[in-house]
PDB file of all heavy atoms in Angstrom:
ATOM      1  N   PRO A 279      14.954  -5.368   3.707  1.00 90.00           N
ATOM      2  CA  PRO A 279      14.347  -6.359   2.734  1.00 90.00           C
ATOM      3  C   PRO A 279      14.119  -5.664   1.450  1.00 90.00           C
ATOM      4  O   PRO A 279      13.025  -5.409   0.960  1.00 90.00           O
ATOM      5  CB  PRO A 279      13.051  -6.700   3.391  1.00 90.00           C
ATOM      6  CG  PRO A 279      12.679  -5.475   4.232  1.00 90.00           C
ATOM      7  CD  PRO A 279      13.969  -4.864   4.749  1.00 90.00           C
ATOM      8  N   GLY A 281      15.457  -5.808  -2.768  1.00 93.00           N
ATOM      9  CA  GLY A 281      16.127  -6.515  -3.921  1.00 93.00           C
ATOM     10  C   GLY A 281      16.961  -5.597  -4.682  1.00 93.00           C
ATOM     11  O   GLY A 281      17.087  -4.425  -4.554  1.00 93.00           O
ATOM     12  N   LEU A 292      16.939   4.233  -5.367  1.00 90.00           N
ATOM     13  CA  LEU A 292      15.926   3.416  -4.718  1.00 90.00           C
ATOM     14  C   LEU A 292      14.628   3.434  -5.536  1.00 90.00           C
ATOM     15  O   LEU A 292      14.212   4.543  -5.838  1.00 90.00           O
ATOM     16  CB  LEU A 292      15.692   3.996  -3.256  1.00 90.00           C
ATOM     17  CG  LEU A 292      14.715   3.177  -2.332  1.00 90.00           C
ATOM     18  CD1 LEU A 292      15.246   1.791  -2.060  1.00 90.00           C
ATOM     19  CD2 LEU A 292      14.544   3.934  -1.014  1.00 90.00           C
ATOM     20  N   GLY A 295       7.924   0.168  -4.996  1.00 71.00           N
ATOM     21  CA  GLY A 295       6.843  -0.652  -5.642  1.00 71.00           C
ATOM     22  C   GLY A 295       6.296  -1.551  -4.632  1.00 71.00           C
ATOM     23  O   GLY A 295       6.374  -1.426  -3.417  1.00 71.00           O
ATOM     24  N   GLY A 317      29.732   2.361  -1.510  1.00 98.00           N
ATOM     25  CA  GLY A 317      29.146   3.629  -1.008  1.00 98.00           C
ATOM     26  C   GLY A 317      27.897   4.107  -1.692  1.00 98.00           C
ATOM     27  O   GLY A 317      26.962   4.550  -1.070  1.00 98.00           O
ATOM     28  N   HIS A 321      24.281   4.578   0.036  1.00 97.00           N
ATOM     29  CA  HIS A 321      23.508   5.896  -0.167  1.00 97.00           C
ATOM     30  C   HIS A 321      22.026   5.544  -0.508  1.00 97.00           C
ATOM     31  O   HIS A 321      21.173   6.079   0.151  1.00 97.00           O
ATOM     32  CB  HIS A 321      24.126   6.722  -1.206  1.00 97.00           C
ATOM     33  CG  HIS A 321      23.421   7.988  -1.476  1.00 97.00           C
ATOM     34  ND1 HIS A 321      23.870   9.210  -0.867  1.00 97.00           N
ATOM     35  CD2 HIS A 321      22.389   8.266  -2.289  1.00 97.00           C
ATOM     36  CE1 HIS A 321      22.950  10.126  -1.339  1.00 97.00           C
ATOM     37  NE2 HIS A 321      22.141   9.680  -2.193  1.00 97.00           N
ATOM     38  N   LEU A 343       8.587  23.273   0.070  1.00 97.00           N
ATOM     39  CA  LEU A 343       9.464  23.888  -0.980  1.00 97.00           C
ATOM     40  C   LEU A 343       8.671  24.275  -2.154  1.00 97.00           C
ATOM     41  O   LEU A 343       9.264  24.534  -3.182  1.00 97.00           O
ATOM     42  CB  LEU A 343      10.563  22.990  -1.337  1.00 97.00           C
ATOM     43  CG  LEU A 343      11.572  22.551  -0.200  1.00 97.00           C
ATOM     44  CD1 LEU A 343      12.493  21.481  -0.682  1.00 97.00           C
ATOM     45  CD2 LEU A 343      12.289  23.786   0.354  1.00 97.00           C
ATOM     46  N   GLY A 349      12.134  23.421  -6.443  1.00 96.00           N
ATOM     47  CA  GLY A 349      11.883  22.796  -5.212  1.00 96.00           C
ATOM     48  C   GLY A 349      12.288  21.295  -5.041  1.00 96.00           C
ATOM     49  O   GLY A 349      12.803  20.840  -4.119  1.00 96.00           O
ATOM     50  N   ASP A 358      20.052  14.127   0.234  1.00 96.00           N
ATOM     51  CA  ASP A 358      21.386  13.561   0.155  1.00 96.00           C
ATOM     52  C   ASP A 358      22.323  13.936   1.263  1.00 96.00           C
ATOM     53  O   ASP A 358      23.091  13.104   1.679  1.00 96.00           O
ATOM     54  CB  ASP A 358      22.044  13.991  -1.275  1.00 96.00           C
ATOM     55  CG  ASP A 358      21.515  13.156  -2.409  1.00 96.00           C
ATOM     56  OD1 ASP A 358      20.777  12.162  -2.187  1.00 96.00           O
ATOM     57  OD2 ASP A 358      21.858  13.463  -3.589  1.00 96.00           O
ATOM     58  N   VAL A 360      21.401  14.716   4.332  1.00 97.00           N
ATOM     59  CA  VAL A 360      20.955  13.961   5.467  1.00 97.00           C
ATOM     60  C   VAL A 360      21.472  12.504   5.462  1.00 97.00           C
ATOM     61  O   VAL A 360      22.092  11.982   6.457  1.00 97.00           O
ATOM     62  CB  VAL A 360      19.418  13.963   5.627  1.00 97.00           C
ATOM     63  CG1 VAL A 360      18.952  13.146   6.835  1.00 97.00           C
ATOM     64  CG2 VAL A 360      18.947  15.421   5.880  1.00 97.00           C
ATOM     65  N   LEU A 371      30.176   4.553   8.467  1.00 98.00           N
ATOM     66  CA  LEU A 371      30.444   3.997   7.122  1.00 98.00           C
ATOM     67  C   LEU A 371      31.005   5.116   6.231  1.00 98.00           C
ATOM     68  O   LEU A 371      30.262   6.119   5.932  1.00 98.00           O
ATOM     69  CB  LEU A 371      29.162   3.515   6.490  1.00 98.00           C
ATOM     70  CG  LEU A 371      28.440   2.332   7.348  1.00 98.00           C
ATOM     71  CD1 LEU A 371      27.141   1.945   6.666  1.00 98.00           C
ATOM     72  CD2 LEU A 371      29.351   1.075   7.424  1.00 98.00           C
ATOM     73  N   LEU A 390      28.982  22.846  -3.262  1.00 97.00           N
ATOM     74  CA  LEU A 390      28.743  23.315  -1.949  1.00 97.00           C
ATOM     75  C   LEU A 390      28.484  22.243  -0.924  1.00 97.00           C
ATOM     76  O   LEU A 390      29.024  22.305   0.176  1.00 97.00           O
ATOM     77  CB  LEU A 390      27.558  24.258  -1.961  1.00 97.00           C
ATOM     78  CG  LEU A 390      27.150  25.023  -0.667  1.00 97.00           C
ATOM     79  CD1 LEU A 390      28.333  25.938  -0.221  1.00 97.00           C
ATOM     80  CD2 LEU A 390      25.918  25.870  -0.913  1.00 97.00           C
ATOM     81  N   SER A 396      32.754  17.539   3.696  1.00 97.00           N
ATOM     82  CA  SER A 396      34.146  17.378   3.998  1.00 97.00           C
ATOM     83  C   SER A 396      34.514  18.010   5.282  1.00 97.00           C
ATOM     84  O   SER A 396      35.208  17.487   6.129  1.00 97.00           O
ATOM     85  CB  SER A 396      34.999  17.939   2.823  1.00 97.00           C
ATOM     86  OG  SER A 396      34.759  17.179   1.654  1.00 97.00           O
ATOM     87  N   ASP A 409      34.118  29.780  -4.539  1.00 95.00           N
ATOM     88  CA  ASP A 409      34.422  31.216  -4.654  1.00 95.00           C
ATOM     89  C   ASP A 409      33.945  31.861  -3.340  1.00 95.00           C
ATOM     90  O   ASP A 409      33.378  31.258  -2.427  1.00 95.00           O
ATOM     91  CB  ASP A 409      33.678  31.922  -5.868  1.00 95.00           C
ATOM     92  CG  ASP A 409      32.181  31.736  -5.809  1.00 95.00           C
ATOM     93  OD1 ASP A 409      31.642  31.577  -4.812  1.00 95.00           O
ATOM     94  OD2 ASP A 409      31.641  31.695  -6.961  1.00 95.00           O
ATOM     95  N   GLU A 410      34.145  33.149  -3.201  1.00 95.00           N
ATOM     96  CA  GLU A 410      33.883  33.824  -1.924  1.00 95.00           C
ATOM     97  C   GLU A 410      32.372  33.742  -1.537  1.00 95.00           C
ATOM     98  O   GLU A 410      31.951  33.667  -0.425  1.00 95.00           O
ATOM     99  CB  GLU A 410      34.289  35.308  -2.032  1.00 95.00           C
ATOM    100  CG  GLU A 410      34.095  36.121  -0.707  1.00 95.00           C
ATOM    101  CD  GLU A 410      34.565  37.563  -0.818  1.00 95.00           C
ATOM    102  OE1 GLU A 410      35.297  37.824  -1.846  1.00 95.00           O
ATOM    103  OE2 GLU A 410      34.278  38.350   0.016  1.00 95.00           O
ATOM    104  N   LEU A 412      30.226  31.387  -2.328  1.00 97.00           N
ATOM    105  CA  LEU A 412      29.828  30.018  -1.755  1.00 97.00           C
ATOM    106  C   LEU A 412      30.450  29.785  -0.515  1.00 97.00           C
ATOM    107  O   LEU A 412      29.950  29.005   0.276  1.00 97.00           O
ATOM    108  CB  LEU A 412      30.238  28.994  -2.825  1.00 97.00           C
ATOM    109  CG  LEU A 412      29.495  28.949  -4.143  1.00 97.00           C
ATOM    110  CD1 LEU A 412      29.950  27.784  -5.109  1.00 97.00           C
ATOM    111  CD2 LEU A 412      27.947  28.833  -3.929  1.00 97.00           C
ATOM    112  N   ASP A 443      19.180  29.565  -5.760  1.00 97.00           N
ATOM    113  CA  ASP A 443      19.609  30.343  -6.925  1.00 97.00           C
ATOM    114  C   ASP A 443      20.819  29.715  -7.617  1.00 97.00           C
ATOM    115  O   ASP A 443      21.384  30.252  -8.619  1.00 97.00           O
ATOM    116  CB  ASP A 443      19.866  31.781  -6.687  1.00 97.00           C
ATOM    117  CG  ASP A 443      20.937  31.967  -5.612  1.00 97.00           C
ATOM    118  OD1 ASP A 443      21.221  30.964  -4.876  1.00 97.00           O
ATOM    119  OD2 ASP A 443      21.517  33.078  -5.556  1.00 97.00           O
ATOM    120  N   ILE A 446      21.693  23.127  -9.662  1.00 94.00           N
ATOM    121  CA  ILE A 446      21.640  22.030  -8.679  1.00 94.00           C
ATOM    122  C   ILE A 446      21.580  20.759  -9.437  1.00 94.00           C
ATOM    123  O   ILE A 446      20.802  20.548 -10.409  1.00 94.00           O
ATOM    124  CB  ILE A 446      20.438  22.125  -7.736  1.00 94.00           C
ATOM    125  CG1 ILE A 446      20.510  23.247  -6.864  1.00 94.00           C
ATOM    126  CG2 ILE A 446      20.254  20.788  -6.939  1.00 94.00           C
ATOM    127  CD1 ILE A 446      19.353  23.512  -5.931  1.00 94.00           C
ATOM    128  N   ASP A 457       6.631   8.478  -7.690  1.00 86.00           N
ATOM    129  CA  ASP A 457       7.066   7.046  -7.650  1.00 86.00           C
ATOM    130  C   ASP A 457       6.066   6.224  -6.840  1.00 86.00           C
ATOM    131  O   ASP A 457       6.276   5.013  -6.772  1.00 86.00           O
ATOM    132  CB  ASP A 457       8.505   6.959  -6.954  1.00 86.00           C
ATOM    133  CG  ASP A 457       9.583   7.621  -7.806  1.00 86.00           C
ATOM    134  OD1 ASP A 457       9.440   7.532  -9.029  1.00 86.00           O
ATOM    135  OD2 ASP A 457      10.417   8.303  -7.234  1.00 86.00           O
ATOM    136  N   ALA A 466      -0.453   7.976   3.255  1.00 91.00           N
ATOM    137  CA  ALA A 466       0.433   9.063   3.694  1.00 91.00           C
ATOM    138  C   ALA A 466      -0.273  10.220   4.193  1.00 91.00           C
ATOM    139  O   ALA A 466      -0.034  10.921   5.171  1.00 91.00           O
ATOM    140  CB  ALA A 466       1.452   9.456   2.643  1.00 91.00           C
ATOM    141  N   VAL A 474      -0.803  17.901  11.225  1.00 89.00           N
ATOM    142  CA  VAL A 474      -1.019  19.223  10.754  1.00 89.00           C
ATOM    143  C   VAL A 474      -2.433  19.570  11.046  1.00 89.00           C
ATOM    144  O   VAL A 474      -3.326  18.849  11.264  1.00 89.00           O
ATOM    145  CB  VAL A 474      -0.717  19.454   9.288  1.00 89.00           C
ATOM    146  CG1 VAL A 474       0.742  19.032   8.916  1.00 89.00           C
ATOM    147  CG2 VAL A 474      -1.657  18.674   8.368  1.00 89.00           C
ATOM    148  N   ILE A 482      -2.192  21.214   1.491  1.00 93.00           N
ATOM    149  CA  ILE A 482      -1.372  20.038   0.966  1.00 93.00           C
ATOM    150  C   ILE A 482      -2.248  19.196  -0.037  1.00 93.00           C
ATOM    151  O   ILE A 482      -1.735  18.764  -1.073  1.00 93.00           O
ATOM    152  CB  ILE A 482      -0.954  19.076   2.140  1.00 93.00           C
ATOM    153  CG1 ILE A 482       0.044  19.798   3.054  1.00 93.00           C
ATOM    154  CG2 ILE A 482      -0.312  17.765   1.577  1.00 93.00           C
ATOM    155  CD1 ILE A 482       0.439  19.117   4.330  1.00 93.00           C
ATOM    156  N   SER A 522     -42.549  -3.499   6.169  1.00 42.00           N
ATOM    157  CA  SER A 522     -42.949  -2.156   6.223  1.00 42.00           C
ATOM    158  C   SER A 522     -42.587  -1.458   7.503  1.00 42.00           C
ATOM    159  O   SER A 522     -42.585  -0.209   7.536  1.00 42.00           O
ATOM    160  CB  SER A 522     -44.530  -2.088   6.086  1.00 42.00           C
ATOM    161  OG  SER A 522     -45.144  -2.731   7.138  1.00 42.00           O
ATOM    162  N   SER A 541     -29.849   5.260  16.197  1.00 76.00           N
ATOM    163  CA  SER A 541     -30.094   3.970  16.766  1.00 76.00           C
ATOM    164  C   SER A 541     -29.100   3.708  17.905  1.00 76.00           C
ATOM    165  O   SER A 541     -27.982   3.277  17.615  1.00 76.00           O
ATOM    166  CB  SER A 541     -30.028   2.817  15.747  1.00 76.00           C
ATOM    167  OG  SER A 541     -30.138   1.577  16.359  1.00 76.00           O
ATOM    168  N   ILE A 550     -19.947   8.251  17.340  1.00 73.00           N
ATOM    169  CA  ILE A 550     -18.530   8.229  16.796  1.00 73.00           C
ATOM    170  C   ILE A 550     -18.633   7.893  15.358  1.00 73.00           C
ATOM    171  O   ILE A 550     -19.328   6.913  14.941  1.00 73.00           O
ATOM    172  CB  ILE A 550     -17.717   7.249  17.527  1.00 73.00           C
ATOM    173  CG1 ILE A 550     -17.679   7.637  19.063  1.00 73.00           C
ATOM    174  CG2 ILE A 550     -16.258   7.212  17.040  1.00 73.00           C
ATOM    175  CD1 ILE A 550     -16.931   6.594  19.874  1.00 73.00           C
ATOM    176  N   TYR A 557     -31.463   4.589  11.134  1.00 65.00           N
ATOM    177  CA  TYR A 557     -32.372   3.944  10.180  1.00 65.00           C
ATOM    178  C   TYR A 557     -32.656   4.832   9.005  1.00 65.00           C
ATOM    179  O   TYR A 557     -32.663   6.050   9.073  1.00 65.00           O
ATOM    180  CB  TYR A 557     -33.698   3.595  10.888  1.00 65.00           C
ATOM    181  CG  TYR A 557     -33.664   2.691  11.980  1.00 65.00           C
ATOM    182  CD1 TYR A 557     -33.946   3.068  13.371  1.00 65.00           C
ATOM    183  CD2 TYR A 557     -33.272   1.418  11.845  1.00 65.00           C
ATOM    184  CE1 TYR A 557     -33.809   2.282  14.441  1.00 65.00           C
ATOM    185  CE2 TYR A 557     -33.143   0.472  12.904  1.00 65.00           C
ATOM    186  CZ  TYR A 557     -33.478   0.955  14.165  1.00 65.00           C
ATOM    187  OH  TYR A 557     -33.343   0.101  15.250  1.00 65.00           O
ATOM    188  N   ILE A 576     -22.047  15.973  24.208  1.00 66.00           N
ATOM    189  CA  ILE A 576     -21.075  16.165  25.315  1.00 66.00           C
ATOM    190  C   ILE A 576     -20.279  15.074  25.443  1.00 66.00           C
ATOM    191  O   ILE A 576     -20.610  13.925  25.622  1.00 66.00           O
ATOM    192  CB  ILE A 576     -21.861  16.508  26.559  1.00 66.00           C
ATOM    193  CG1 ILE A 576     -22.670  17.732  26.474  1.00 66.00           C
ATOM    194  CG2 ILE A 576     -20.757  16.646  27.641  1.00 66.00           C
ATOM    195  CD1 ILE A 576     -23.496  18.031  27.744  1.00 66.00           C
TER     196      ILE A 576
END
Side-chain angles (χ1 to χ4, degrees):
L292 184 63
H321 180 96
L343 298 174
D358 278 354
V360 175
L371 302 172
L390 182 59
S396 297
D409 58 27
E410 184 177 347
L412 292 183
D443 59 342
I446 296 176
D457 296 320
V474 303
I482 295 172
S522 60
S541 175
I550 300 175
Y557 296 116
I576 299 177

